[in-house]
Amino acid sequence: MIRRSLNTILILLCLSVQASAADANELFNTLRRKIFSVQDYTADVKMKISVKYMRIPQLAGTLYFKSPDKMRLERHGGLSILPRKNINLTIRNLIPAGSATVIDAGQAQIGGKTTRIIKVIPEDDKSDLVLAKIWVDETSMVALRIETATRNEGTLTMDLEYGRYISNGLPDKLLLTLDVKDFRMPKGMTMDYTESRPDEALKDTKGKKGTIQITYLSYKINTGLSDKIFTPEASEP
Amino acid sequence: MKQLLQIELFKIFRRPRTYISFGIVTAITFVIQLAMLTDGKSYMSFALQGVNEQFDIHGNMINGYFITYIILQTLLIQIPLLVALVAGDTLAGEATLGTLRLLLTKPISRNQLILAKFMSSFIYTVLLVIWLAVVALGLSVLIFGRGDMVNIKSDTFILILQNDVLWRYAAAFCFAMLAMTTIASLSILLSVFADNSIGPIISTMGIVVVLTILSNLDLPLFNHIKPYIFTTHMIGWKGFFDDPVPVRQIGISAMVLIVYTVAFAGTTMLVFNKKDIKS
């Protein structure tokens, strides 16, 4: 009798783990389909870069994106500053495109919303992405937070807020937290007048982390952007 | 006094060396602009190699505003020389020519004479800095265009939006005028001790070079005296390109330069009033 009960429990446990893995896989695939449905967009943005060694005012401009990884900020005569290609500012590049192992990691609250956490491990050994942890709002089928561990760029965290473009899986606001290195030039070359003062906003991070906040004011989605927009010549005056 | 000032200005602007100074400023500016036109990208990529590891920066970085900043940095040593070239000659030049004694037989006080020489040197200095602003800023903007300005400190990368740059240059050039006036005062002070103008010019440059090296050496031994050396404060114009602008620090620097200028001028008057004029 006891043996039969134990067997039943074991079978139920196995089935539940399998069902949970299947759910997580289904959830990940649905989310990925939604995110990958956006092939390109043009967005009016405001961007604030907060990095220990950088003093950059809020930048306004037009952000162009074309899948899989082309991105350019046009500032109408001003300088454009974006993280290097492998730290892409789009949710698409933080989600593995190929086959991956998906693990259900439970639930958590983000901004008062219940989210399901899934861990995604890409099966491609050459991928820079080692692990992606995604907090998914199942009601709207959007990612509210993505945390990724990469081979070369450390840990990246992306927090997303949605509004008018939630049906396309595109955020109204994005906050990317990334690891930053130090910047040093010989003082004899620069002949500084004053010592630099640390940015108040970055006091708690001890200068190891930086943030990039983007507010998307409007989107034009899937308009068939030309590759020419992303060439280096297009950025130069 | 007005007539005396006009005479002193006439003396300054009839000498070829006065115009040589303006020519040298133009030549140095041209050379730097040419260098940046041909090899500016390599310079920029070297300066930004730490930033470029993590960020892609696109657009017209080597623009007129950035070039002007580079020119101002390199002229830190040259402009004092050009100021000393004229200011160091004001009293010593008269002594060499033997006109100083003759000049003092006129119904003017020695203080009035010194004041007129200070004011004429000040006007020359202001005109030289204005000329620098015209050729450095005006010409650079014409050649390289406008854009957001990048300022690189030893541990900070600063981006200034193009509509926020011009007032900073206006303030920086005004500060440069103050710093160069201090040099002119020093030069006139040294001029009072000499009977030929070479001595004060070389002495001024010697003092500026030694004190500039001292101001920039990062040794604990010198750190205590740096705040009291005027060369430490001569680069106060750079503060206007910082974020946030260190207003208090710039104010202190301006005060130090004013105190030095007044002290040099006061000492000159004191020495000149007691001096036995023999030529």
Side-chain angles (χ1 to χ4, degrees), chain B residues 12-264:
Chain B
I12 287 178
F13 286 99
R14 84 192 160 125
R15 286 180 203 147
R17 75 166 68 172
T18 304
Y19 300 99
I20 288 171
S21 299
F22 286 87
I24 290 171
V25 167
T26 314
I28 294 169
T29 306
F30 271 139
V31 168
I32 295 167
Q33 285 166 341
L34 185 68
M36 295 307 284
L37 200 61
T38 53
D39 211 23
K41 281 187 179 170
S42 321
Y43 176 88
M44 192 53 111
S45 61
F46 170 74
L48 290 179
Q49 54 188 328
V51 180
N52 283 340
E53 272 180 32
Q54 292 194 300
F55 291 89
D56 275 328
I57 306 173
H58 292 290
N60 185 19
M61 263 191 289
I62 307 160
N63 56 49
Y65 296 143
F66 177 75
I67 305 291
T68 308
Y69 192 85
I70 300 288
I71 292 168
L72 280 182
Q73 291 226 80
T74 55
L75 289 179
L76 205 74
I77 296 295
Q78 289 91 328
I79 291 279
L81 170 67
L82 302 177
V83 169
L85 209 62
V86 168
D89 191 49
T90 48
L91 285 168
E94 300 261 14
T96 311
L97 293 170
T99 52
L100 196 55
R101 195 146 60 157
L102 182 71
L103 193 63
L104 291 171
T105 58
K106 302 285 177 193
I108 47 161
S109 70
R110 290 191 178 195
N111 281 345
Q112 276 180 314
L113 181 67
I114 291 291
L115 205 62
K117 289 200 179 286
F118 262 111
M119 283 172 75
S120 57
S121 297
F122 172 72
I123 290 168
Y124 161 77
T125 304
V126 167
L127 289 175
L128 194 65
V129 175
I130 289 173
W131 179 246
L132 173 68
V134 170
V135 290
L137 185 59
L139 217 58
S140 297
V141 167
L142 266 179
I143 298 169
F144 297 91
R146 299 192 307 148
D148 296 340
M149 188 187 145
V150 168
N151 178 17
I152 303 155
K153 290 175 70 178
S154 62
D155 57 356
T156 319
F157 169 93
I158 300 165
L159 182 80
I160 303 166
L161 298 182
Q162 57 176 313
N163 55 12
D164 194 29
V165 175
L166 274 180
W167 75 266
R168 293 173 192 262
Y169 270 117
F173 280 114
C174 286
F175 194 93
M177 284 174 195
L178 175 62
M180 290 307 117
T181 304
T182 308
I183 299 293
S185 309
L186 171 67
S187 230
I188 295 171
L189 170 63
L190 295 171
S191 180
V192 87
F193 294 108
D195 286 334
N196 68 73
S197 53
I198 302 296
I201 294 167
I202 292 176
S203 305
T204 305
M205 277 321 294
I207 291 169
V208 170
V209 168
V210 170
L211 293 183
T212 302
I213 292 168
L214 214 146
S215 297
N216 287 292
L217 275 181
D218 203 12
L219 293 173
L221 180 68
F222 299 133
N223 284 345
H224 298 292
I225 56 168
K226 274 183 192 176
Y228 306 104
I229 302 171
F230 66 87
T231 45
T232 307
H233 301 278
M234 275 171 57
I235 55 168
W237 61 270
K238 286 185 166 191
F240 292 106
F241 299 93
D242 215 333
D243 182 35
V245 173
V247 179
R248 191 173 170 273
Q249 185 65 38
I250 292 172
I252 290 170
S253 290
M255 281 308 296
V256 169
L257 292 173
I258 289 169
V259 167
Y260 265 104
T261 306
V262 171
F264 289 150

Side-chain angles (χ1 to χ4, degrees), chain A residues 56 100 103 127 136 165 177 197 212 226:
Chain A
I56 299 175
I103 303 161
S127 165
V136 187
Y165 301 91
T177 308
R197 280 178 282 180
I212 298 168
S226 161

